[in-house]
Amino acid sequence: MYIAMIIIFVIGYAAIALEHPLKIDKSASALLTGVLVWTALVIGGDAILGAKGIQDITHHIDHEILHHLSEIGSILFFLLGAMTIVELIDAHEGFRVVTDRIKTTDRVKLMWILTILTFFFSAALDNLTTSIVMAAVLKKLIKDKKDLWFFAGMIIIAANAGGAWSPIGDVTTIMLWIGGQLTAGNVIVEVFLPSLAALLAPLIFVSFTYRGNIERPEEEFQRTHEPIPNWERNLVFFLGVSMLLFVPIFKTVTHLPPFMGILLGLGVLWLVTEILHRTKNKHHYHHLTVVGTLREVDVPSVLFFLGILLAVAGLQTAGHLEQLATALDNTFDGNIYIVNMLIGILSAIVDNVPLVAGAMGMYDFSTYPVDDTFWELLAYC
């Protein structure tokens, strides 16, 4: 069963990486992988854990699952709260506060405006959400499909770069922050300039090679709901973004877990939007409530994180990750730059969430303490 756990994980990982060719949602593969890894651990508990008897195995497994579930739950609750806040802003057309002010058709100017906006948006709203929002913005600004694809590529670079230096900008940075490997202030100070360089290098190159004007699409008016007053749109946008930015401050002041801060922000925004719309026709404002926007939240992604983090936790409990860490250290003489560069290159091929989860399980705080260069590089790479 020791080998079976690795085989299950590799097959599950391959199914996740080949999601599109297989036409099987990666969340399904991740959940199956997570449960089957722990099942193999239970079956082979006496050999893997050194436990004796079914009661000893069950007690040990229950303890380990609950231990890991507390960490996993913190991440999932944080993501669910953050995604709901962003969906609520989007439902109120809050991002138009920014996009309506973009008038230029010059390729270079538009590229700089959109990528810089994306860079800072992704630091506050997370890079996945920002990419989705900016993709919708691009369709309103650019007509030609080749131009659209080119801009979209730069948006992805900007979103990933912006998400790396913020404690709430990327799922993997969130994991490292909540796990205690990084503090909010340190990751901002130490990773901001490298992240900015990762954006500016391709952006400067593109500025000299991609000139001319873009063609704007014709405006389409397809409103399915009542128009939202400007003051409501602005209020929800600025309050929502403020609540997201307040989370690191809340954690620093209260020392409560980050998910408590995001739930506080969601509660405040929920209360405000309920008061805003309580006198309106329910049919017209339901999509503007938290209950309505929850339908738009990407729940399959949350279940994906649950499955993959459970799988990695199982490998950690069995001791696989500790052995892998030892092998890497012996192979590269503990060179954290080579190890992180390999992880970074690999994350271009496979999902970065399990890679970071694996690294967090491989190394403890006695090897790399809080805010060590290793964790900063991991967040960046």
Side-chain angles (χ1 to χ4, degrees), residues 84 87-94 223 225-229 232-233 236 269-270 272-274 276-277 280-294 296:
T84 306
E87 287 294 341
L88 201 58
I89 295 172
D90 193 37
H92 285 80
E93 301 176 359
R223 187 175 295 280
H225 300 287
E226 291 293 318
I228 299 167
E232 285 187 9
R233 179 191 305 156
V236 173
L269 199 59
W270 195 334
V272 170
T273 52
E274 287 290 316
L276 278 178
H277 307 304
K280 298 178 182 178
N281 186 309
K282 287 187 177 182
H283 175 73
H284 293 303
Y285 86 87
H286 180 71
H287 70 289
L288 301 176
T289 65
V290 170
V291 176
T293 54
L294 277 172
E296 304 300 323

Side-chain angles (χ1 to χ4, degrees), residues 94-127:
F95 298 108
R96 286 185 56 187
V97 172
V98 177
T99 58
D100 282 355
R101 289 167 170 75
I102 300 174
K103 304 297 183 184
T104 184
T105 58
D106 182 270
R107 282 197 179 108
V108 175
K109 287 182 180 178
L110 186 61
M111 184 74 75
W112 276 83
I113 292 170
L114 291 177
T115 52
I116 294 298
L117 274 177
T118 302
F119 182 80
F120 287 102
F121 262 163
S122 65
L125 306 178
D126 90 67
N127 51 13

Side-chain angles (χ1 to χ4, degrees), residues 61 68-69 88 103 122 146 165 229-230 234 243 246 258 271 274 296 311 324 355 369 371-372 381:
I61 294 295
H68 289 294
L69 198 57
L88 201 58
K103 304 297 183 184
S122 65
K146 289 186 178 180
W165 63 271
N230 287 337
N234 294 345
M243 288 294 98
F246 176 69
L271 179 64
E274 287 290 316
E296 304 300 323
L324 181 59
L355 287 175
D371 287 335
D372 189 86
C381 290

Side-chain angles (χ1 to χ4, degrees), residues 111 115 118 149-159 199 202-203 206:
M111 184 74 75
T115 52
T118 302
W149 288 346
F150 195 89
F151 272 78
M154 285 300 299
I155 288 297
I156 296 302
I157 292 173
L199 169 63
L203 190 54
V206 166

Side-chain angles (χ1 to χ4, degrees), residues 75 79 127 163-164 166-167 169-179 181-182 305 347 351-357 360 375 378-381:
I75 296 171
L79 289 174
N127 51 13
S166 165
D170 180 90
V171 174
T172 51
T173 317
I174 290 170
M175 290 163 60
L176 291 166
W177 180 45
I178 292 176
Q181 283 80 6
L182 292 171
F305 298 135
S347 74
D351 199 276
N352 54 3
V353 170
L355 287 175
V356 170
M360 290 169 67
W375 303 121
L378 186 62
Y380 181 69
C381 290

